[in-house]
Amino acid sequence: MIKIYNTLTRKKETFKPLHAGEVRMYVCGPTVYDSSHLGHARSIVAFDVIRRYLEYKGYDVRFIQNFTDIDDKMIQRAQEQKTTTEKLATKYIQEYFEDFDKLGVKRATGFPKATEHIQEMIEHIQKLVEKSFAYEANGSVYFRVSKFKNYGKLSRQEKGEKEAEDQDAGEVEEKEHPQDFVLWKAMKPGEPSWDSPWGKGRPGWHIECSVMSKQYLGEPIDIHGGGLDLVFPHHENEIAQSEALSGQPFVRYWMHNGFLTVNKEKMSKSLGNFFTIQEITAKYHPEVVRLFLISSQYRSPIDFSDAQLEEAKTRLARIHNSIDLLQRHLRETRVEEAKNPVKPSTVDSELWEALSTLQTEFENAMDDDFNTPIALASLNTFLTKMNSILSRNDSVTAGTLQKILEILDAIGEVFGLYRQRMKPESSDEGVTDGLVQLLIQLRNQARKQKDFETADRIRDQLKDLGIVLEDEKTGTVWKWA
RNA sequence: GCCGAGGUGGCGGAGUGGCCACGCGACAGCCUGCAGAGCUGUUUUAUAUGGGUUCAAAUCCCAUCCUCGGCUCCA
């Protein structure tokens, strides 16, 4: 039974999707005017793991993530770069996919763009005007917040007078009340625009999520996610726009991830303290970045530091080493069992018990609002146990080892970790293996004759090729560095 | 000003009343020609501060200090 912390109620609630066996979720995607940074990755990876766990539990997940491809920043950046908003969007959407494919993020079911849903947005706004939840002023349309009685229920705050000063002066004059927010912006000279009943213009930021969420997932949806910074005003406004028309809840579970910080300050474009995904993945393997990101529960802040990334690297290596050890034992055991069938022993049952504990603890942790640190801890505990048994070289059946591999694979699939380690060897690797085995034989001959110079030369030169030799009690094994 | 989150060992990070996180680092040992990996053990009363409740508190209550976030674009 999954429990989710719902921002709306500020409580963990038992998760029950509206449609049995199916989860409909929407996560706010980026405005595609610039490269994604690690702060975006925090959010995207958090919801990727949530989605993967829901799938692990057998749900059919319909997952929609939008691209905001028209807004003030898009227009401004396009003007600066003497290009169009379309070209800008195309460029950064492509980059988005490159970045997050690399980070092992599963693609959403759909990636709707704001500019492809202008007509639906206009219709939605029209209906709001008809019901007097919105009003037109000088070609712009504003949402009449005072008419929507539940305004503020998500963020538990209402816009005060304070920020009226910070708002666009033209808008303030047009608005009936400073709280009101824009649904449709009248065109300014030189800006991209679409025809509407109120003249040429473009949609406000908030309306796209309301409209696209409804179009692709219906109402209400199960989960709507995004960064904590979107709670107000973005999500508050989405609720107002959607529920004013439908008269029913727009979203059943609101989920918000905590920030990625640098020296305890939020990583953001405006502070300039950010690293792009490209920069970070050039320095660290994408799975190291993922492990770093899921080492805290998704609602907690994570403070970025190189030391933390280095630690994640070490921790991932430990997992890799354990899987290598397991796979080697499995290969060897299969060869053995082909000669002499083996019966399960007490060591087998010890492993089965540890495996069952792992599964229970992993699922309990993830069921509890996707507590990845505890889930990772359960994996660690299991690996220590498994390594301990395997290092004693007690005989374990191939069936047991195979089962462990399957469970580890399923868990790794949720985290999006050690995927490469699980892949069967390619035929190329078969050839490599043959060659390396030959060198290992030669080297061990040298070692037997105490010719360590030759032995070390073989090991060192293989290392330069990215092949690491390790001498075990039972013989020498190799792996890619 | 208003709203919200949080302060845990050398470090990261869990934990909503009683026992144990987990990892990184450090130290010692096993194994090894050396190395690596792995294993075993150690890292003495870690829970911002001061009170309180309780047989028992990191966990509940009160106060204080500090940090961060939202209220303007932001994952």
Side-chain angles (χ1 to χ4, degrees), chain A residues 317-462:
Chain A
R318 178 182 135 84
I319 298 173
H320 283 172
N321 289 334
S322 302
I323 290 170
D324 290 345
L325 184 72
L326 171 64
Q327 286 184 324
R328 202 165 67 236
H329 272 265
L330 180 57
R331 275 198 303 272
E332 287 167 7
T333 307
R334 279 190 177 133
V335 172
E336 283 296 309
E337 286 187 8
K339 292 182 221 153
N340 317 297
V342 186
K343 279 191 181 141
S345 65
T346 52
V347 183
D348 282 275
S349 54
E350 216 180 316
L351 276 170
W352 280 92
E353 202 184 309
L355 200 53
S356 141
T357 305
L358 166 64
Q359 252 185 314
T360 309
E361 288 183 354
F362 170 77
E363 291 184 19
N364 285 346
M366 292 301 286
D367 279 353
D368 184 15
D369 199 27
F370 311 98
N371 198 325
T372 48
I374 292 187
L376 284 164
S378 69
L379 178 62
N380 275 320
T381 305
F382 174 79
L383 291 180
T384 302
K385 180 84 182 166
M386 179 188 86
N387 289 341
S388 177
I389 287 170
L390 293 183
S391 71
R392 291 204 306 258
N393 241 345
D394 293 335
S395 88
V396 181
T397 62
T400 302
L401 298 175
Q402 179 61 38
K403 183 67 185 172
I404 295 174
L405 203 60
E406 280 166 23
I407 303 283
L408 291 184
D409 188 37
I411 289 174
E413 183 63 32
V414 173
F415 292 141
L417 294 180
Y418 56 85
R419 304 328 294 143
Q420 206 60 40
R421 236 53 183 194
M422 286 294 176
K423 292 208 175 120
E425 293 158 19
S426 67
S427 55
D428 266 7
E429 290 239 336
V431 174
T432 309
D433 185 57
L435 290 169
V436 176
Q437 290 303 342
L438 182 64
L439 286 165
I440 286 174
Q441 278 175 28
L442 291 172
R443 174 168 170 274
N444 282 340
Q445 233 164 31
R447 287 173 73 211
K448 224 174 235 172
Q449 292 158 9
K450 307 261 183 214
D451 178 6
F452 297 122
E453 208 178 308
T454 304
D456 288 349
R457 209 175 82 211
I458 292 173
R459 185 170 60 187
D460 291 346
Q461 295 202 356
L462 281 174

Side-chain angles (χ1 to χ4, degrees), chain A residues 273-337:
Chain A
N273 59 348
F274 62 90
F275 304 94
T276 63
I277 312 278
Q278 289 165 347
E279 284 164 350
I280 210 82
T281 52
K283 218 168 156 190
Y284 299 99
H285 189 278
E287 287 194 354
V288 170
V289 179
R290 273 187 87 99
L291 180 56
F292 164 71
L293 292 173
I294 64 174
S295 294
S296 308
Q297 206 265 355
Y298 75 91
R299 285 187 286 120
S300 307
I302 319 181
D303 201 46
F304 171 89
S305 73
D306 274 299
Q308 286 312 305
L309 266 302
E310 287 297 334
E311 185 181 320
K313 194 172 162 184
T314 310
R315 292 202 291 145
L316 186 64
R318 178 182 135 84
I319 298 173
H320 283 172
N321 289 334
S322 302
I323 290 170
D324 290 345
L325 184 72
L326 171 64
Q327 286 184 324
R328 202 165 67 236
H329 272 265
L330 180 57
R331 275 198 303 272
E332 287 167 7
T333 307
R334 279 190 177 133
V335 172
E336 283 296 309
E337 286 187 8

Side-chain angles (χ1 to χ4, degrees), chain A residues 186-210:
Chain A
M187 184 187 82
K188 288 179 193 153
E191 287 184 352
S193 67
W194 289 263
D195 288 323
S196 83
W198 316 283
K200 283 185 181 296
R202 60 188 164 90
W205 173 38
H206 314 296
I207 193 70
E208 66 180 79
C209 290
S210 285

Side-chain angles (χ1 to χ4, degrees), chain A residues 6 64 83 133 166 279 299 316 373 377 432-433 478:
Chain A
N6 190 345
I64 298 293
T83 182
F133 277 109
D166 306 330
E279 284 164 350
R299 285 187 286 120
L316 186 64
T432 309
D433 185 57
W478 75 274

Side-chain angles (χ1 to χ4, degrees), chain A residues 1 7 100 180 195 220 328 338 387 412 422 434 480:
Chain A
M1 193 169 64
T7 309
F100 288 99
D180 295 350
D195 288 323
R328 202 165 67 236
N387 289 341
M422 286 294 176
W480 295 107

Side-chain angles (χ1 to χ4, degrees), chain A residues 246-264:
Chain A
S246 69
Q248 62 168 335
F250 167 51
V251 170
R252 304 176 64 240
Y253 302 88
W254 283 96
M255 297 183 72
H256 295 94
N257 64 277
F259 296 122
L260 181 83
T261 58
V262 182
N263 296 322
K264 308 282 181 190

Side-chain angles (χ1 to χ4, degrees), chain A residues 23 25 27 47 51 61-65 107-110 217:
Chain A
V23 177
M25 65 190 283
V27 173
F47 286 104
R51 182 255 187 108
V61 180
R62 285 170 64 183
F63 182 88
I64 298 293
Q65 186 182 302
R107 294 238 180 155
T109 319
L217 299 173

